[in-house]
Amino acid sequence: MLFLIHLVATAFLLSNSSHPFLEYMMISHFYTINQTLVGLVIENVTEVFPNGSVEFEYYSIDLNNSEYIGPIMEVNNLSNLTSLYVFTDVGNKVVYRAAPFYLVGEEDGVYIYKNEQNLEGVEVITYYYVNSSGVPSKIVFLQYGVNGELVGNTTYVLYSSSLLNPNAKLYFPSGLTRVQGGVDVQLSNTARYPLIENAFTSALILSAVILVSLKVLKKYGNKNG
């Protein structure tokens, strides 16, 4: 019953918010190459359907190099969210987002959910920090290599959301260059590494890595023929 109430409330909120969006500051550190990327991640809801499905567009912005990937269009159903960063059953011991997330802690009204997945020796541990609003205040992706060493830490910190503040405005920096073909490169890579939730959510983690790869290719591609 509580889940149903929260589900209806979330659908109502999304339907009645003016241009509902979620925007996170993204900080990715890759320990093997000692490089840090700073960016923005945006999920912008474009339509809410009567059957409870939500359509939204996703952008990943690399502030280091003034480039971005997107929009990537995605549709989720509120009863089975997989990639929209909203929780519809906060407080439950287990939340299913195509993969189970387990409640591992609660402090001052903030619930901490954890998911672990492993593929070919590569492990990704995900933490969601979310309160009763259903909007995560922080999301942490930890990537471990085959030897158990921490190779990457990507942390999303909530920057702004109209779901929490109706007067909030989406921030999209000016002077950016869209990475041509970035979506194709991104999806072809994530198809091999569906580490968490689904291929789309894996794409959110790998987008920063791909942006780095594209910069390296552009910088050294001509030299190597």
Side-chain angles (χ1 to χ4, degrees):
M1 178 61 72
L2 289 176
F3 169 72
L4 181 60
I5 293 173
H6 200 170
L7 183 65
V8 172
T10 302
F12 178 82
L13 183 61
L14 287 169
S15 300
N16 290 274
S17 297
S18 178
H19 305 292
F21 70 89
L22 301 160
E23 184 165 10
Y24 290 86
M25 178 67 69
M26 176 184 71
I27 303 173
S28 296
H29 187 75
F30 306 100
Y31 297 97
T32 53
I33 58 175
N34 193 28
Q35 185 166 3
T36 299
L37 290 181
V38 178
L40 296 170
V41 170
I42 296 172
E43 291 185 334
N44 186 35
V45 176
T46 54
E47 191 167 358
V48 180
F49 301 100
N51 67 354
S53 294
V54 179
E55 179 187 77
F56 63 96
E57 53 187 11
Y58 163 79
Y59 293 87
S60 177
I61 301 171
D62 174 9
L63 295 177
N64 292 60
N65 301 298
S66 299
E67 296 181 332
Y68 72 96
I69 289 174
I72 299 174
M73 301 304 300
E74 178 79 353
V75 176
N76 273 190
N77 192 287
L78 290 177
S79 63
N80 185 30
L81 289 173
T82 58
S83 45
L84 181 67
Y85 287 148
V86 174
F87 272 59
T88 55
D89 42 4
V90 180
N92 285 5
K93 291 184 178 180
V94 183
V95 174
Y96 289 92
R97 295 175 56 85
F101 282 76
Y102 297 95
L103 182 63
V104 295
E106 188 268 331
E107 184 176 352
D108 297 329
V110 176
Y111 297 87
I112 305 171
Y113 285 91
K114 179 182 180 181
N115 170 267
E116 297 183 42
Q117 292 199 32
N118 188 292
L119 180 67
E120 298 178 357
V122 178
E123 184 179 31
V124 173
I125 298 179
T126 307
Y127 292 96
Y128 276 80
Y129 297 77
V130 57
N131 61 19
S132 59
S133 71
V135 176
S137 57
K138 184 169 68 172
I139 307 168
V140 179
F141 302 103
L142 302 176
Q143 300 178 5
Y144 293 87
V146 293
N147 295 321
E149 75 280 13
L150 181 63
V151 297
N153 180 337
T154 297
T155 298
Y156 295 174
V157 178
L158 185 65
Y159 183 84
S160 181
S161 176
S162 60
L163 297 178
L164 298 179
N165 178 9
N167 297 318
K169 303 296 182 183
L170 192 152
Y171 171 63
F172 201 102
S174 60
L176 299 178
T177 299
R178 183 174 183 271
V179 176
Q180 298 299 322
V183 173
D184 295 334
V185 174
Q186 186 178 31
L187 294 181
S188 65
N189 278 273
T190 54
R192 297 173 51 230
Y193 301 102
L195 294 178
I196 65 165
E197 301 191 20
N198 59 10
F200 178 82
T201 310
S202 299
L204 307 191
I205 301 176
L206 291 173
S207 59
V209 181
I210 290 163
L211 284 172
V212 172
S213 301
L214 290 172
K215 291 300 292 183
V216 172
L217 286 172
K218 284 192 292 185
K219 184 173 182 180
Y220 298 107
N222 292 335
K223 294 181 180 180
N224 296 328

